[in-house]
Amino acid sequence: NAGVTQTPKFQVLKTGQSMTLQCAQDMNHEYMSWYRQDPGMGLRLIHYSVGAGITDQGEVPNGYNVSRSTTEDFPLRLLSAAPSQTSVYFCASSYQQGTYEQYFGPGTRLTVT
Amino acid sequence: AQSVTQPDIHITVSEGASLELRCNYSYGATPYLFWYVQSPGQGLQLLLKYFSGDTLVQGIKGFEAEFKRSQSSFNLRKPSVHWSDAAEYFCAVINAGGTSYGKLTFGQGTILTVHP
């Protein structure tokens, strides 16, 4: 079991560029989510998905898109990168939506210049 | 709305000393609480969780936490800290109902430094 994997580990973008952060899990988890981590703010929920084909917004969704075509994958798209999106991004998954432990990936450190 | 507060941004202890990291939550119903640890450059690892039952829960790496409903607290403790415990610690509560069902809310984190 690889658990939750994320690629790339590091990325530098210029303002206005777009990119996709990849997330995959091999635990057959229904629930997947994306968080961003900023100093002194903990982790904040960007988007989440309760199953293939179903996504919803979290606390800070602006500037990000998601889709869930398979159970395993949950990519996060930055449409037009801004310096305010400089952050560390974590993907997480859990068995189902609800009171279940969430397993986190290793993170992607993104810098937007 | 649910919220989690970790009052201490940074704590420094000597190796071998005891440790207590504070966590206060605001949640209308019975909370489902977690402590996660993040080592530098790593993802988050679950230390322990409280769902119900015994209010003193044991976790990995010798950590324990005590749920106190009257104080809305879920403090993390370790009797003797090791240098490898240096990391950032996050308290979190999960929403067990309503429109935010399954949403995990994190505290701001506490950075632990361990002196030899």
Side-chain angles (χ1 to χ4, degrees), chain A residues 3-112:
Chain A
V4 180
T5 58
Q6 292 182 239
T7 56
K9 285 185 72 69
F10 302 95
Q11 183 70 50
V12 179
L13 290 178
K14 288 184 168 34
T15 297
Q17 287 184 317
S18 63
M19 80 158 295
T20 299
L21 307 185
Q22 301 291 346
C23 173
Q25 52 88 13
D26 61 358
M27 297 175 282
N28 203 30
H29 283 171
E30 292 293 329
Y31 185 84
M32 295 185 74
S33 51
W34 276 102
Y35 296 85
R36 59 177 290 172
Q37 182 182 27
D38 302 293
M41 303 188 75
L43 280 77
R44 293 178 293 167
L45 183 65
I46 304 171
H47 285 286
Y48 66 95
S49 168
V50 300
I54 307 169
T55 63
D56 206 345
Q57 295 181 352
E59 188 181 349
V60 287
N62 291 343
Y64 307 96
N65 270 2
V66 292
S67 60
R68 183 103 177 266
S69 56
T70 67
T71 299
E72 295 78 19
D73 300 298
F74 190 43
L76 178 73
R77 297 184 191 83
L78 281 69
L79 307 173
S80 177
S84 60
Q85 294 178 304
T86 293
S87 187
V88 181
Y89 291 85
F90 288 100
C91 180
S93 75
S94 66
Y95 173 60
Q96 285 182 345
Q97 183 184 26
T99 56
Y100 299 96
E101 175 187 349
Q102 295 193 18
Y103 295 82
F104 284 82
T108 295
R109 184 174 294 275
L110 175 68
T111 302
V112 183

Side-chain angles (χ1 to χ4, degrees), chain A residues 9 31 35 37 39-45 48 58-59 88 90 97-107 109, chain B residues 32 34 36 38 41-46 49 51 88 90 94-96 99-109:
Chain A
K9 285 185 72 69
Y31 185 84
Y35 296 85
Q37 182 182 27
M41 303 188 75
L43 280 77
R44 293 178 293 167
L45 183 65
Y48 66 95
E59 188 181 349
V88 181
F90 288 100
Q97 183 184 26
T99 56
Y100 299 96
E101 175 187 349
Q102 295 193 18
Y103 295 82
F104 284 82
R109 184 174 294 275
Chain B
Y32 293 75
F34 303 83
Y36 284 88
Q38 183 182 28
Q42 303 296 312
L44 277 73
Q45 181 183 21
L46 181 69
K49 61 188 177 187
F51 281 8
E88 189 163 14
F90 292 94
I94 203 162
N95 195 317
T99 56
S100 297
Y101 183 51
K103 177 177 179 285
L104 198 57
T105 299
F106 287 87
Q108 303 91 324

Side-chain angles (χ1 to χ4, degrees), chain B residues 57-77:
Chain B
V57 293
Q58 303 296 321
I60 62 171
K61 305 186 180 188
F63 285 92
E64 66 178 27
E66 186 170 14
F67 170 63
K68 292 186 178 180
R69 184 186 299 275
S70 61
Q71 299 177 19
S72 297
S73 68
F74 187 56
N75 294 349
L76 182 71
R77 300 196 294 247

